[in-house]
């Protein structure tokens, strides 16, 4: 090949390369959620949206694409002094989004660094007015104040701060030890209070149970006493009704009196027993009956029997000590055999022996029963 042909090939290759370069620089594809700023001859011309875009080669210049998605930036821990002069280390996380690519390109040189520095200064202003306790318990308040300040300052930069979070608040180690001791003491105090409350409730419930038990026991004893008294009253009423249905006469009651007298002196501790005065009246009746029986049997001794008077008995006090002033005591005229207890026992033994009076009383009862039988027969024989 000659030199002309070689030159022609070089020129054609150069033209093809130039055309390819122009086409590459003129045709641009913008991805989704990205934005591009176009400068024409060094001046802002337009903002490219996602899709296919044509540019004028060597006239238009496309700046680096901006991410329109929400971005998360975590800043390193920053020392902050609280109002009670304690240094705490705070980590922050900022969530922001580019809303105006032109302002984010021309209004601020590095918007990420600007957001970081603004966050640090705002954080120190907010936390500096709080003590350690408030700083640890007021995260929502701090987050709200930081977001308000950052959103207002970054609005002209084409940014929108959506959230600001405090990732960690680390007080000094000495303060952490003191806080742990304080929390341990607080938990011990609460445990002691809960234990005391449990003991108190247990004592109250135990006392309430004992009170209820005593009340129920007293009510049971009262009901038992009432039922026992009702039973005794019914028994007495039945005995009383039975006695009245039997229609006993005075002689039978007198004889029952005589049989009951020895039981009065029973027991080693009885120092005093009294014979009722009604016994004298009963003995008078028995004596009258004995006189009536003795008249037909003796014949000529009726007047003497009629003139006899039944012995009367008064109250007798057995084993009662004699008065010291020399006056007659209740046991004067009764021969004393020793001590008061021996006299009482001798009297009881003597009273329990069957006597002629018992035999006579038994004869009276038989005679009385025979007479009632005869009267019943006479009534039945009458027409």
């Amino acid at each position: 090949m000659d030199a002309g042909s070689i030159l022609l090939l070089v020129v054609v290759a150069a033209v093809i390369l130039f055309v390819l370069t122009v086409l590459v620089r003129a045709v641009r594809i913008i991805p989704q959620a990205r934005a591009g700023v176009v400068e024409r001859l060094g001046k802002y011309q337009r903002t490219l949206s996602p899709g296919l875009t044509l540019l004028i080669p060597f006239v238009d210049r496309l700046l680096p694409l901006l991410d329109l998605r929400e971005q998360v930036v975590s800043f390193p821990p920053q020392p902050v002094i609280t109002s009670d002069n304690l240094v705490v280390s705070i980590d922050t996380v900022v969530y922001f989004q580019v809303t105006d690519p032109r302002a984010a390109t021309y209004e601020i040189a590095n918007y990420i660094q600007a957001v970081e520095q603004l966050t640090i200064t705002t954080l120190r202003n907010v936390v500096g007015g709080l003590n350690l306790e408030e700083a640890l318990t007021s995260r929502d308040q701090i987050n709200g104040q930081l977001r308000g300040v950052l959103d207002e300052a970054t609005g002209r930069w084409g940014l929108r701060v959506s959230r600001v979070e405090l990732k960690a608040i680390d007080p000094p180690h000495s303060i952490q030890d003191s806080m742990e001791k304080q929390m341990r003491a607080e938990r011990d105090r609460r445990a002691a209070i809960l234990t005391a409350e449990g003991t108190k409730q247990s004592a109250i419930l135990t006392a309430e149970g004992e009170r209820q038990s005593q009340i129920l026991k007293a009510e049971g004893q009262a009901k038992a006493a009432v039922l026992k008294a009702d039973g005794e009253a019914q028994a007495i009423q039945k005995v009383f009704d039975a006695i009245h249905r039997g229609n006993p006469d005075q002689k039978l009651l007198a004889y029952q009196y005589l049989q009951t007298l020895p039981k009065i002196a029973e027991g080693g501790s009885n120092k005093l027993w009294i014979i009722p005065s009604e016994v004298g009246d009963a003995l008078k009746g028995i004596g009258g009956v004995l006189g009536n029986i003795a008249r037909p049997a003796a014949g000529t001794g009726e007047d003497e029997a009629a003139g006899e008077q039944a012995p009367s008995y008064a109250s007798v006090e057995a084993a009662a000590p004699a008065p010291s002033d020399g006056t007659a005591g209740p046991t004067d005229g009764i021969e004393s055999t020793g001590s008061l207890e021996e006299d009482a026992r001798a009297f009881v033994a003597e009273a329990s022996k069957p006597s002629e009076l018992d035999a006579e009383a038994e004869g009276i009862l038989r005679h009385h029963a025979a007479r009632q039988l005869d009267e019943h027969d006479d009534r039945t024989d009458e027409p």
Side-chain angles (χ1 to χ4, degrees):
M1 294 181 62
D2 53 1
S5 300
I6 295 174
L7 181 62
L8 180 61
L9 290 176
V10 171
V11 171
V12 170
V15 171
I16 293 173
L17 181 62
F18 176 77
V19 170
L20 292 177
T21 303
V22 170
L23 291 174
V24 170
R25 292 180 63 90
V27 178
R28 291 294 179 91
I29 297 175
I30 307 301
Q32 183 67 33
R34 299 290 193 277
V37 175
V38 177
E39 293 181 350
R40 179 169 293 177
L41 301 177
K43 182 179 178 182
Y44 172 77
Q45 198 271 333
R46 70 181 186 274
T47 300
L48 299 180
S49 59
L52 181 63
T53 303
L54 297 177
L55 300 176
I56 301 175
F58 308 106
V59 177
D60 294 339
R61 184 171 70 93
L62 180 63
L63 298 180
L65 300 179
L66 297 177
D67 194 348
L68 300 181
R69 294 172 297 180
E70 187 173 2
Q71 302 180 42
V72 181
V73 179
S74 177
F75 301 125
Q78 298 296 325
V80 179
I81 300 176
T82 62
S83 62
D84 48 357
N85 296 325
L86 292 176
V87 179
V88 295
S89 179
I90 301 178
D91 295 346
T92 57
V93 178
V94 178
Y95 298 80
F96 68 94
Q97 184 180 11
V98 177
T99 58
D100 188 356
R102 179 180 178 280
T105 303
Y106 297 106
E107 296 295 336
I108 188 71
N110 189 342
Y111 57 83
I112 295 179
Q113 184 179 4
V115 170
E116 179 182 1
Q117 297 301 321
L118 183 61
T119 301
I120 293 173
T121 56
T122 306
L123 182 64
R124 288 177 177 174
N125 291 333
V126 173
V127 178
L130 303 175
N131 55 31
L132 179 61
E133 190 70 23
E134 294 174 349
L136 294 175
T137 58
S138 303
R139 290 196 176 191
D140 293 339
Q141 179 182 355
I142 297 174
N143 293 338
Q145 293 181 5
L146 285 176
R147 180 184 176 279
V149 174
L150 290 175
D151 194 19
E152 181 181 359
T154 59
R156 59 188 182 87
W157 298 341
L159 304 177
R160 182 179 63 84
V161 177
S162 58
R163 297 180 65 183
V164 178
E165 297 290 341
L166 300 183
K167 187 167 62 175
I169 300 177
D170 298 327
H173 294 289
S174 60
I175 301 300
Q176 291 183 8
D177 295 338
S178 300
M179 292 171 62
E180 290 178 359
K181 293 179 181 179
Q182 181 180 0
M183 292 302 299
R184 190 179 300 112
E186 182 66 21
R187 290 193 181 100
D188 294 339
R189 183 182 69 84
R190 292 178 182 177
I193 291 175
L194 292 177
T195 302
E197 288 290 338
T199 304
K200 174 184 175 183
Q201 292 294 331
S202 175
I204 291 174
L205 294 177
T206 302
E208 184 68 19
E210 292 179 355
R211 185 177 72 88
Q212 292 292 337
S213 176
Q214 293 177 0
I215 290 174
L216 294 176
K217 187 182 295 183
E219 290 179 354
Q221 292 177 355
K223 291 181 179 180
V226 171
L227 293 176
K228 183 178 180 181
D230 292 340
E232 292 179 354
Q234 293 177 6
I236 293 172
Q237 184 65 33
K238 287 183 178 181
V239 172
F240 182 77
D241 294 340
I243 292 174
H244 280 271
R245 284 196 302 269
N247 194 17
D249 56 358
Q250 186 67 25
K251 301 177 183 63
L252 179 59
L253 296 177
Y255 180 69
Q256 291 295 329
Y257 253 132
L258 293 176
Q259 287 184 337
T260 308
L261 287 178
K263 297 182 180 180
I264 299 177
E266 290 181 356
S269 61
N270 290 335
K271 304 298 182 181
L272 176 67
W273 62 280
I274 300 173
I275 299 176
S277 60
E278 289 82 356
V279 177
D281 299 334
L283 293 177
K284 288 181 183 180
I286 294 175
V289 174
L290 291 177
N292 293 332
I293 295 173
R295 273 196 216 91
T300 57
E302 294 179 356
D303 296 335
E304 295 177 359
E308 292 180 357
Q309 186 176 3
S312 61
Y313 293 84
S315 300
V316 179
E317 294 180 0
S324 60
D325 55 355
T327 59
T331 57
D332 288 349
I334 299 175
E335 183 178 357
S336 176
T337 59
S339 64
L340 298 178
E341 295 181 359
E342 293 176 354
D343 292 343
R345 286 195 293 270
F347 187 88
V348 171
E350 186 65 22
S352 61
K353 291 180 180 180
S355 60
E356 296 178 357
L357 183 60
D358 293 335
E360 293 177 358
E362 186 176 0
I364 293 171
L365 293 176
R366 291 197 191 98
H367 176 71
H368 181 68
R371 189 173 63 181
Q372 288 184 349
L373 183 59
D374 293 338
E375 292 177 356
H376 179 68
D377 293 337
D378 294 338
R379 286 195 298 271
T380 55
D381 292 339
E382 291 179 359

